[in-house]
Amino acid sequence: MKRGVWRAAAATAFICGSYTAGTTLFMRLTGAGIVRRAAAGTGIILTFDDGPNPLYTPKLLDLLGEYGVKAIFFVVGRHAEQHPELLRRMQREGHLIGIHHYHHRSAWRLTPRQTKREIRRTAAVIERITGNKPHFYRPPYGKLNAAVPFVSDPFITVIWTHILGDWKVRTCDRDLLGRMMAVPADGSVVVLHDDGSNKGADDAAPGHMLPVLRQYLGHCREHGIELLHPGSLVNDSRGVRI
Ligand SMILES: [Zn+2]
């Protein structure tokens, strides 16, 4: 959907009485201004939030490299600043890097000015480290406020079709593989996490996600399930060059 339409939708949601939950619900229900599925409508895109993490991200990059899979890493600006070498490695190995706020703060708790700052500051960190401007933005927890369509310009907001609960050790051990295998290869966008330090997550969870991901990648290879390059999120008509 065109950005102008998105802004009109955000303004409507705001006027209708909600800066936070109402806007998020409205945007998610209508899909206004949000990308959450590959434009091609086939395959699966993997995305990883909250890193980079010095323990888990290198292992994840090794694994993705082994299977020749490219992903988007939605990095927390503060973490990126602490581990610039990991961003450089992501870029070198052909992955895309997106914005996930500087402090992993929910947009529901941010004023428009603070929202803009979280986005811009992270974009500047990514550009400073990699030499490239990011194209994609994912708000923490997928929570939007009515200012996002205005202050996120020119970045494309990406949510997901499948969020699988991998921030908990117990979920990784019991349910994650089944949940991953149930994701349809119809342009689905899956979110996983390569850092467990945020509130509500288990620190050790990525260490339990990784062996499950290995099994899943083997399953995909065996069954010919295509894991798409994340540039497939957008098509040429959006004028984005990845
Ligand atoms: Zn997050």
Side-chain angles (χ1 to χ4, degrees), residues 46 48 162-183 190-193 205-216:
L46 296 182
F48 296 91
H162 294 80
I163 186 161
L164 305 174
D166 67 304
W167 54 89
K168 290 289 185 191
V169 166
R170 188 183 157 101
T171 308
C172 289
D173 293 349
R174 291 187 172 193
D175 307 316
L176 185 58
L177 186 59
R179 289 180 186 179
M180 292 191 78
M181 289 194 178
V183 174
V190 174
V191 55
L192 296 167
H193 299 78
H208 292 250
M209 176 276 288
L210 285 166
V212 176
L213 179 62
R214 175 176 287 284
Q215 279 182 273
Y216 177 69

Side-chain angles (χ1 to χ4, degrees), residues 6 8-9 13 26 28 53 66 88 97 105 139 145 148-150 155 163-164 166-167 178 184 192 207 212 214 235:
W6 185 16
F26 182 83
R28 293 236 200 146
N53 175 290
E66 205 178 304
R88 286 192 283 267
I97 301 170
R105 286 189 191 135
N145 63 41
V148 165
F150 302 91
F155 309 113
I163 186 161
L164 305 174
D166 67 304
W167 54 89
L192 296 167
V212 176
R214 175 176 287 284
N235 55 39

Side-chain angles (χ1 to χ4, degrees), residues 13-149:
F14 184 63
I15 291 161
C16 288
S18 179
Y19 176 72
T20 58
T23 300
T24 302
L25 187 64
F26 182 83
M27 301 289 182
R28 293 236 200 146
L29 286 176
T30 62
I34 292 173
V35 174
R36 55 180 161 190
R37 187 176 286 282
T42 61
I44 293 170
I45 292 178
L46 296 182
T47 69
F48 296 91
D49 289 6
D50 298 358
N53 175 290
L55 178 60
Y56 300 120
T57 306
K59 291 178 182 170
L60 172 58
L61 287 167
D62 289 346
L63 178 58
L64 295 175
E66 205 178 304
Y67 282 86
V69 172
K70 309 299 180 196
I72 302 187
F73 288 83
F74 287 97
V75 298
V76 172
R78 192 169 58 86
H79 295 169
E81 252 176 4
Q82 289 164 354
H83 305 288
E85 73 288 354
L86 291 175
L87 264 73
R88 286 192 283 267
R89 183 174 167 195
M90 288 169 189
Q91 176 168 270
R92 201 167 55 240
E93 296 182 3
H95 303 288
L96 300 183
I97 301 170
I99 299 161
H100 197 49
H101 285 188
Y102 187 83
H103 293 103
H104 205 272
R105 286 189 191 135
S106 163
W108 288 12
R109 295 173 171 272
L110 300 174
T111 65
R113 182 189 287 263
Q114 289 170 327
T115 309
K116 185 174 183 176
R117 182 159 168 72
E118 288 282 335
I119 295 170
R120 299 286 150 168
R121 199 172 169 190
T122 307
V125 168
I126 294 169
E127 188 174 0
R128 194 165 62 238
I129 294 171
T130 66
N132 285 337
K133 289 183 197 301
H135 293 294
F136 298 113
Y137 162 60
R138 172 176 285 161
Y141 313 104
K143 290 180 174 173
L144 301 151
N145 63 41
V148 165

